[in-house]
Amino acid sequence: QATISDSRIIDNSAASTYSTLGGGIAVYGQATISDTTITGNVNEGDESGGGQGGGLAIADTGQATISGSTISGNVARAYFEGY
């Protein structure tokens, strides 16, 4: 269980040779997020797959409770060479 409160998750990035989760936060278990700003984060994809969740990504195995928070201005990019 992770708890994030009264925080700022700003201007982070994730990139990998495989698909990545969460430029700002990736949740694989349980998380409680309150009164937090998540903005300006970037998740870059590559030829193996796209970035998932620019600011926040919750994996299939994850759960998150979010209250009083702002999640905006984040970017997830996918890269695909011409087909």
Side-chain angles (χ1 to χ4, degrees):
Q1 169 79 32
T3 300
I4 301 170
S5 62
D6 299 313
S7 298
R8 297 176 2 159
I9 312 296
I10 298 175
D11 297 333
N12 297 288
S13 64
S16 175
T17 55
Y18 302 99
S19 292
T20 56
L21 288 178
I25 301 171
V27 177
Y28 290 90
Q30 293 184 352
T32 301
I33 301 169
S34 62
D35 303 314
T36 293
T37 298
I38 303 171
T39 189
N41 301 288
V42 178
N43 193 345
E44 299 283 351
D46 72 357
E47 64 275 3
S48 299
Q52 300 175 44
L56 170 67
I58 302 169
D60 292 342
T61 58
Q63 291 182 323
T65 300
I66 303 168
S67 63
S69 298
T70 300
I71 303 171
S72 67
N74 300 288
V75 176
R77 293 189 182 115
Y79 170 88
F80 295 98
E81 255 177 52
Y83 285 93

